[in-house]
Amino acid sequence: MSSMSSTAASGTADEQVPVRVFGGPTALFEYGGLRFLTDPTFDAPGEYPAPGGPGLTKTAPASVPLSALGPVDVVLLSHDEHPDNLDASGRALLADVPLTLTTPGGGRRLRDSLGDKVKGLHDWESVELDRPGGGRVTVTGVPAVHGPGRREDVEPITGEVVGFVLTGDGLPTVYVSGDNASLTAVEETAARFGPVDTAVLFAGAPRFPFLFDGAPIVLDSTQAAEAAKILGARRVVPVHFDSWAHFTEGRTELVVAFTAAGLAERLQLD
């Protein structure tokens, strides 16, 4: 893939950030002249083992092969422990990326292989990145809960997750939710950073009958529309709603939910 032209790099907050979705949780966007990739998953369709549970079934390949991805400056990795968020190809990619931002636990686990090229972010912890043309981009870790209920009850079961907010002088605000099922976490983020220009929302309502009585462990479509309202998002780019068998809601449900909420024009699916 050729390098994307950056509207964000022009420094006008009214212009939207170009986002390209590759399937599953993986999307590429350019912001402040830097190329960011979310949760890299480029393995072929098939069965993949998952820690502490049955295997996960990938049903479709990424829309762009890893060989055509081009350079990546930063990976925003919501968590490292599940193969539908970081697979073998994604792990190999991290070695060639200057910086991976992830959970504190993920930072510790990946440090042996990545050294100083990985950093775990606690809630509200920020890093500043130099922009190619001068100035800086700030990336802040924000709360995420990988299941219904209180974080302290959910994390021992499904693990630690982090979301991200990107800001910079003259740049629009971008929110990347990660595998989050908590509207309370969205409210906390909106209170500090809203309204946002672009919300990259992980959705898909993944469910397992043996976890949380089958409740979604990431936002369902109705919750994604509510999250968009809470954030005051000008645009929503949903990810994490296709390419895996455990996602129970997809494009159709997202369109229905956002239409019912009066937000259809804010939804970007292509």
Side-chain angles (χ1 to χ4, degrees):
M1 183 180 66
S2 62
S3 178
M4 299 189 307
S5 62
S6 172
T7 58
S10 66
T12 302
D14 288 339
E15 295 176 338
Q16 290 186 327
V17 176
V19 181
R20 186 169 183 186
V21 178
F22 298 144
T26 309
L28 180 72
F29 61 92
E30 188 167 336
Y31 185 83
L34 299 171
R35 301 179 94 222
F36 292 84
L37 184 72
T38 65
D39 289 13
T41 53
F42 291 93
D43 285 354
E47 300 292 324
Y48 291 91
L56 303 180
T57 302
K58 187 171 186 177
T59 58
S63 61
V64 169
L66 184 57
S67 60
L69 181 63
V72 173
D73 296 300
V74 183
V75 167
L76 302 176
L77 178 60
S78 71
H79 58 303
D80 67 306
E81 296 181 283
H82 297 156
D84 60 321
N85 296 88
L86 181 67
D87 59 16
S89 298
R91 287 182 186 274
L93 170 68
L94 298 185
D96 297 323
V97 175
L99 179 64
T100 295
L101 300 174
T102 189
T103 64
R108 292 189 293 271
R109 285 184 291 271
L110 294 169
R111 193 159 292 123
D112 284 347
S113 58
L114 299 180
D116 292 339
K117 298 202 301 183
V118 63
K119 178 173 177 56
L121 294 179
H122 295 276
D123 289 354
W124 318 123
E125 183 180 3
S126 297
V127 296
E128 291 193 342
L129 310 175
D130 291 331
R131 296 174 60 180
R136 291 186 171 184
V137 166
T138 300
V139 183
T140 302
V142 298
V145 184
H146 201 354
R150 301 182 307 167
R151 194 175 194 174
E152 56 266 34
D153 297 326
V154 169
E155 283 190 355
I157 299 171
T158 51
E160 187 180 38
V161 181
V162 65
F164 306 93
V165 170
L166 288 78
T167 55
D169 288 343
L171 296 174
T173 300
V174 174
Y175 168 62
V176 179
S177 73
D179 268 8
N180 173 57
S182 169
L183 290 177
T184 298
V186 175
E187 290 168 351
E188 292 172 354
T189 300
R192 295 196 183 213
F193 293 101
V196 306
D197 176 80
T198 297
V200 180
L201 294 183
F202 289 42
R207 304 170 189 265
F208 298 93
F210 54 87
L211 288 178
F212 309 113
D213 296 323
I217 60 173
V218 182
L219 297 176
D220 65 23
S221 301
T222 299
Q223 290 171 323
E226 181 62 24
K229 284 185 178 180
I230 293 168
L231 292 161
R234 292 178 58 201
R235 176 181 57 155
V236 173
V237 182
V239 299
H240 194 271
F241 64 88
D242 61 10
S243 304
W244 291 87
H246 58 291
F247 299 166
T248 65
E249 297 183 9
R251 174 184 292 257
T252 298
E253 290 83 359
L254 283 163
V255 170
V256 169
F258 274 73
T259 300
L263 300 174
E265 75 285 354
R266 302 190 193 185
L267 187 65
Q268 178 187 309
L269 281 163
D270 297 307

